[in-house]
Every structure is written in structure tokens, then in C-alpha cells.
Amino acid sequence: MASRTVAFLGLGAIGRPMAARLAHATGISLAVWNRTADRAASFGREHGARVASTPADAARGADVVITCFPVSPDVEALLDGTDGLLATMASGTALVDCTSGDPATSRRIAARLAERGIGFLDAPVSGGTSGAEQGTLTVMVGGDAAVLDRVKPVIEAFGKKIVHCGPVGAGDALKSVNNALLAVNVWSTAEGLAALAKAGVRAEVALDVINASSGRSNASMNLFPERVLTRAFPRTFRVALLDKDVGIAAGVAREQKVPSPLIQLTAELFRMAHMELGEEADHVEVAKIIERWAGQEIT
Ligand code: NDP
């Protein structure tokens, strides 16, 4: 591809390996910024990107700015001021927001950038930190298809399946529903396996059968065997973020006036789990709450 200058803002659990893919892609000159400067410095040492001191320092001169923060308002907060993205990004460039964001805030951001001739795509990702490391993420994109065509070669550094879903906000909406399904599966798998363990069926046996049957899911095929049965519970995706995602899905359903008792209940369950487990716990650790209620470990 023609050479591009890219800025990546937000080197968190998923942002860091995505940015690493860009750092090692041919034809991309990368600048990175992170709120906690040490993390950006260590990224620069490891991957050789330019380490910027502010978001504006990263974005100045960039063809594409990529953001990956917890929530959309974190992105919106970078727009204004003399050092804001609106003042530093040039007309004809694009902001690609890989945050799992909310559609209304994304639409507001897009409208403000459009006034300056800057493109915007909501482009949340799925596939976890391992998918980011391997460059196999699914990227669900909302916004102008012509902007996507322009930036696709950049997204391809970390994305394998890149799908244009509709106007701005469509990517966010789809991502939130995907994660609501993930949440339902994690929660219901934990309940089912705890009940089976109490009834004398070992979790390994139960998963062997379920994974060759119609109840299987990513939770039963990957998350529970790798994280719960091993008791490893690695911290790759915070329950706080899944709480946020299911909350967005619940809002989308309410806004569209679609009866959604299961999604609303799941949002409430994950809000409680987030409060109980705290900010740093992984999403799969909700299984520990169910184990406690059941008085039964999932083994
Ligand atoms: P983390 O909590 O690991 O990292 C968050 C990043 O955002 C850090 O770089 C953090 O900086 C920065 N940050 C937090 N708040 C602010 C702020 N107010 N202003 C500027 N920077 C801020 O999150 P993840 O990387 O896991 O997730 C990022 C997004 O990707 C979320 O929307 C999440 O839902 C989504 N996602 C995550 C996946 C995963 O497997 N982890 C999978 C798919 C999507 P600092 O270092 O200073 O804390």
C-alpha cells in the first residue's frame, strides 16, 4: 500500500497488540500515545514506534488516527481545545474509533469532525487480545463506505474480517449486541455447569458433550475449558467493559422499542457482577459469583 502515517491512541489490553501489528506492518509510519506515559515508552522500546507526548503530538501529520479507549466519551474528550483533535487533524484525514462505543456519542463525534472535513468510522473489534496479536480481529464498521475504502489497508494490519455495517453508530450497535450474547453465554454456561457439577456430572464431561451438541458457544468451547476449569482466569477483558457493552445493547433495544427482557436482565446481572468483582476483574470471573451462590466449584 501507499505509505501512511498513523497515530494510535490508547495502548490498553487490546490497543497495545493492535498497535504492535501496525508498528510491524510495511508502509506504515506509527506514532503512539497513552495516558500513562510509561506504557507508551515501553511500547516504543519494544516496537520502535514514535512515542508522542500528547494526543495532538501523535495526530499531527497523521493520515489516520486510531483510538481505543474504554468508552466513547473518552474519545469525545480529546476533540476540543488548541491541542484537541479537531484543531490538529487535517481535512481529508480520518479518525477510526476502535473503542466499543455507544452509537449516540459516535454520531456526535462524526458530526463535529465532518464540519472540518475529517472522516469518522466507529470500528469496534472482536476476537480478544489473542486475535489482536495474530491480526485476526473482526472489525465492524459504521460510517461512510468511501472513508472505509481509504483506510482499509491500515485496518487490515490487525483485522481479518472487516465488515461495513451501516451508517455511523452501526458498528457500535452491532458490537454491543455481540457482547450481550457473549455475556448471556458466559453467565448461563456457569449456571448450567455449576448445577451439573452438583448433580455429579464433571464439567469436563459436560463440556465434551455440549461442545458436540446444540448448546455450544465460544464460552463453552474456549472460555470455560481454558480459563475456568484450569482456574487460570487470565485478565484479558475486564468485566467493567462487558458491563458497559451489555448496557449499551440494552439501551439500543430500549431505544428501538424492542422487548428485550433477557438483554435487560443480563445488563443488570453484569452491573452487579462489576460492582462485586471490581474494576480489574476479568469478565469470565463472573463464574466465581455463581460458584459462590451454588456452593459448588465448576470442576
Ligand atoms: P483497558 O482498560 O485495558 O485499556 C484502556 C486504555 O484506555 C488504556 O490505554 C488507558 O490508559 C486508556 N484510557 C482509559 N481511560 C482514558 C481516558 N479517560 N483518556 C485517555 N485514555 C484513557 O481496555 P481494553 O484495551 O481492554 O479495551 C479498550 C476498548 O476495546 C474497550 O472499549 C473494550 O470494550 C474494547 N475491547 C476490548 C477487548 C479485550 O479483549 N480486552 C476485546 C474487544 C473490544 P492508561 O494506560 O493510562 O490506563
Side-chain angles (χ1 to χ4, degrees), residues 214-225:
S214 48
R216 68 182 179 272
S217 65
N218 180 54
S220 69
M221 295 178 79
N222 298 307
L223 298 177
F224 277 68

Side-chain angles (χ1 to χ4, degrees), residues 252-283:
V252 168
R254 275 197 308 272
E255 204 178 292
Q256 299 305 325
K257 302 200 178 353
V258 172
S260 52
L262 185 52
I263 291 178
Q264 305 300 329
L265 172 63
T266 307
E268 189 67 12
L269 288 169
F270 274 79
R271 201 172 66 80
M272 285 160 47
H274 172 189
M275 287 173 71
E276 175 92 12
L277 294 167
E279 292 308 310
E280 297 307 320
D282 188 71
H283 66 303

Side-chain angles (χ1 to χ4, degrees), residues 180-233:
L181 303 185
L182 163 69
V184 167
N185 283 324
V186 169
W187 198 281
S188 57
T189 303
E191 287 184 0
L193 292 182
L196 285 171
K198 263 191 140 165
V201 182
R202 284 192 303 116
E204 208 182 335
V205 173
L207 286 174
D208 186 35
V209 171
I210 289 166
N211 288 335
S213 304
S214 48
R216 68 182 179 272
S217 65
N218 180 54
S220 69
M221 295 178 79
N222 298 307
L223 298 177
F224 277 68
E226 291 166 12
R227 298 171 177 226
V228 180
L229 271 60
T230 58
R231 310 311 286 174
F233 291 105

Side-chain angles (χ1 to χ4, degrees), residues 141-167:
V141 182
D144 188 344
V147 176
L148 174 57
D149 281 347
R150 250 174 29 229
V151 303
K152 209 170 188 180
V154 173
I155 298 178
E156 277 166 350
F158 51 81
K160 189 169 170 201
K161 188 175 175 74
I162 301 162
V163 181
H164 184 240
C165 306

Side-chain angles (χ1 to χ4, degrees), residues 107-145:
R107 284 192 287 267
R108 259 197 328 267
I109 294 171
R112 299 208 51 212
L113 290 170
E115 289 167 13
R116 306 277 178 124
I118 303 165
F120 176 84
L121 301 174
D122 48 309
V125 301
S126 185
T129 52
S130 59
E133 279 157 19
Q134 289 152 26
T136 56
L137 292 173
T138 297
V139 188
M140 37 208 116
V141 182
D144 188 344

